[in-house]
Amino acid sequence: MRALIALGMLLMPLATAQAAGKASEDLTELSIEQLLNVEIISASRLGQKASQAPSSVSILTANDIRTFGWRTLADALNSMRGLFTSNDRNYSFVGVRGFIQSGDYNSRVLFMIDGQRMNENIFDSGNIGQEFMLDMDLVERIEFIPGSGSTIYGANAFLGLINVVTKKGKALNGAQIAGEVGSFDTYKGRVSYGKQFDNGADVLVSASHFDTQGVEDLYFPAFDDPSTNNGIAHNMDTERADRLFGRMQFEEFTLSGGFVDRYKRVPTAAFGAVFNDPTSHTYDRQFFTNLKYQKALSAKTSFMAKGFYQGYDYMAEDPFNDAGNYVYHDQTSGRWWGGEAQLTTSVFDGHRLLFGLEYQYDQTQRQFGYVTDPYQIYQDSDLSGHRVELYAQDDIQLLDNLVFSAGLRLDQTHMLKRLQLNPRLGLIWNPLENTTFKLLYSSTFRAPHAWNLDYNNYYYGVSPELREEQIRSYEAIAEWHSNAGLKLLVSLFYNDITELLKANPDTALLDNVGKYHAYGAEWEAEKRWDSGRMFKASYTYSLFTNEARQGVWAYGSPQNIFKLHYAEPLFDDFVRLGIENIYIGDRKTFQSGKADAYNLVNLNLSTDRLMRGLDVSFGVYNLFDSHYEMLINSDRFDLLQMNGREFRLKLQLTF
């Protein structure tokens, strides 16, 4: 309560000044037809309209984020068709159409910010919790492309691609200060400035801090013994994060960069660590810089070139007492840089051509593990090498209403001994102006990452050759939209996954022994009204089977996912109500038990009408206080209870 009063005292003098008007945001109030015409970056890098892209595109806008009060990227992704998230009280994970693997740290999904790859070069992880690079208030929209994106992206676009588009400075049109308070002693503050100047230069800078004590006492039945504090982990849920982000655009050049620094205590006694020991924690730091040049060479041809430098550091301390008391120190450090050149042209009638070259040099992939007292090194490795990718795509206009999209990508990576060649094919038919049918095929690979390559050597002292994971994706899509703001989508999909890296049951070594099939169907209905009312419902059915174990239902995979979103302006648009319902079906646990289905209802109220420049929102998450369970891959327990009802109050002032 004292923090809330302090926050009010901080914002009140600024509010009473009634400085400049409210920032105008891009893409905040779009109809269905406008959303279909948004030029998405990620489907093919061609800037295609969503309705014409060779994929089933899902888009969330800044207005959706504000309406439903999503606090992290994980919250937003959990609302999207075909996706579901999990959490082990250290990191958040995303599953795609039934597929989720323990310990992969989202390495089979490609994450991008403004088209720049964000997966780091040690674990290939894609961060979506508080360790994500961006504050959600800086997000203009989120694009999700399911399926293997081999032609254009390769590598981590194994299950899909998530591109987060940042706001421009003109969307803020001034300075912003924002503060939040929430359950479990949670606080957050942000200061941002954005402006488009008369010479056309657009600038955005932002800094934010997040801090939470988390749940004071977490109960773990597996540790319910007097020697382990009767199963109570006390003050073990602490988390804090700091972020910086900047973006400057002038004429053909765009310079951007970001930094995130995050600390989290780990209450689960992971990997056999001592329970309820505050020493147990993880620490993540990631940064990137990117300079992009984009030029229209003519009315039909454009050129893009960019260079980047990125880094990632991870540190963890885990206390053990299996052979005397000691603390294991785990450290990794990655640095990589590179560039990309791309040419897009439609100079040939009936063809839209794309050619690209990407290069990345993994300068450092350092992994180091040791204990003190006595000092002993358990892991010490450092890789480096080159990645080169060539890609091309041709969208061929066969008929006025029929397009054949064909692409090919060639990859060379120092993580593998052989070249990778993968196609993507799509047939897009528009028999009517408001109706689209798509038939899609693509394949891609995922190379072993640095930790995969070091895993066997670390645990077993051997280094067998690991090959690439492979996936082939097939999908049929029907889309229809009306002039009255209604959109309908139906999709049938099949994924054939082979050579997945798993522990070999005969040798216990990491090996390419995994084989899975995913059969499924999706539908989505969305309606937006001019008044601001919105209704969206989606359902995904997926049967994800482990073919290496006679086609049994794979662990962690929900067969049924249902989502409903409703937004309503109340009291003559004085307040906006957002209601979210997320249903996740039963999941099989790692020990062949079952995690029950759960249903989450979240509610958010927001208004910008109290005072000029002031935006206030109040969110209630897990409205009905459901103590649902997530899966965790542990030798001591396999279900982890999540938090009950939570609250958040947020104030933002633009001046």
Side-chain angles (χ1 to χ4, degrees), residues 12 58 178 200 209 245 258 296 324 385 388 397 413 430 460 476 484 584 620 653:
M12 188 55 68
S58 295
H209 174 75
F245 179 77
V388 182
Q397 194 80 42
T413 170
N430 293 96
Y460 303 101
I584 307 295
V620 184
L653 182 68

Side-chain angles (χ1 to χ4, degrees), residues 121-165:
N121 73 340
I122 304 292
F123 309 102
D124 273 346
S125 62
N127 296 322
I128 60 175
Q130 291 298 337
E131 67 279 7
F132 179 59
M133 188 76 64
L134 288 177
D135 190 291
M136 290 299 289
D137 289 330
L138 304 182
V139 175
E140 177 60 35
R141 68 181 184 274
I142 302 169
E143 306 165 347
F144 168 56
I145 315 295
S148 51
S150 59
T151 303
I152 306 304
Y153 296 103
N156 296 91
F158 193 82
L159 301 170
L161 181 153
I162 293 165
N163 183 48
V164 180
V165 180

Side-chain angles (χ1 to χ4, degrees), residues 343-409:
L343 182 71
T344 306
T345 183
S346 57
V347 294
F348 302 104
D349 290 342
H351 295 265
R352 196 178 190 201
L353 293 163
L354 170 71
F355 303 97
L357 168 66
E358 286 185 87
Y359 171 76
Q360 177 175 313
Y361 178 60
D362 290 322
Q363 178 180 334
T364 300
Q365 293 173 302
R366 178 76 190 280
Q367 300 178 74
F368 186 62
Y370 67 96
V371 299
T372 56
D373 196 23
Y375 182 78
Q376 182 176 354
I377 296 174
Y378 283 86
Q379 183 183 23
D380 189 1
S381 66
D382 194 359
L383 300 174
S384 63
H386 307 272
R387 308 186 195 199
V388 182
E389 300 91 24
L390 293 167
Y391 57 87
Q393 182 166 303
D394 187 5
D395 288 349
I396 307 168
Q397 194 80 42
L398 300 178
L399 300 171
D400 289 343
N401 59 3
L402 185 64
V403 174
F404 177 59
S405 179
L408 196 64
R409 181 180 177 109

Side-chain angles (χ1 to χ4, degrees), residues 3-4 100 117 192 208 281 333 355 482 498 511 550 571:
L4 180 59
I100 192 167
R117 172 192 173 96
S192 305
S208 66
H281 73 273
S333 181
F355 303 97
S482 73
T498 57
D511 203 353
Q550 294 76 48
F571 310 114

Side-chain angles (χ1 to χ4, degrees), residues 552-569:
V552 299
W553 178 28
Y555 71 79
S557 174
Q559 295 185 8
N560 298 283
I561 300 175
F562 175 73
K563 301 178 180 181
L564 188 149
H565 293 83
Y566 178 71
E568 179 71 32

Side-chain angles (χ1 to χ4, degrees), residues 514-581:
K515 182 177 176 61
Y516 294 87
H517 288 165
Y519 312 83
E522 290 181 341
W523 64 258
E524 184 172 65
E526 183 176 358
K527 166 75 172 173
R528 294 177 185 256
W529 286 262
D530 293 338
S531 65
R533 178 184 296 132
M534 186 272 277
F535 175 85
K536 180 166 67 174
S538 69
Y539 171 73
T540 300
Y541 172 81
S542 61
L543 179 59
F544 192 67
T545 60
N546 187 341
E547 297 302 308
R549 298 184 60 187
Q550 294 76 48
V552 299
W553 178 28
Y555 71 79
S557 174
Q559 295 185 8
N560 298 283
I561 300 175
F562 175 73
K563 301 178 180 181
L564 188 149
H565 293 83
Y566 178 71
E568 179 71 32
L570 303 175
F571 310 114
D572 196 25
D573 204 18
F574 186 83
V575 176
R576 187 171 179 85
L577 169 68
I579 301 175
E580 175 180 50
N581 185 92

Side-chain angles (χ1 to χ4, degrees), residues 1 3 45 80 98 124 129 178 237 249 264 272 274 385 440 445 519 524 572 644:
M1 181 59 69
R45 295 190 180 180
M80 300 185 85
D124 273 346
D237 201 29
Q249 181 177 350
K264 179 69 173 69
V274 174
L440 309 174
F445 74 102
Y519 312 83
E524 184 172 65
D572 196 25

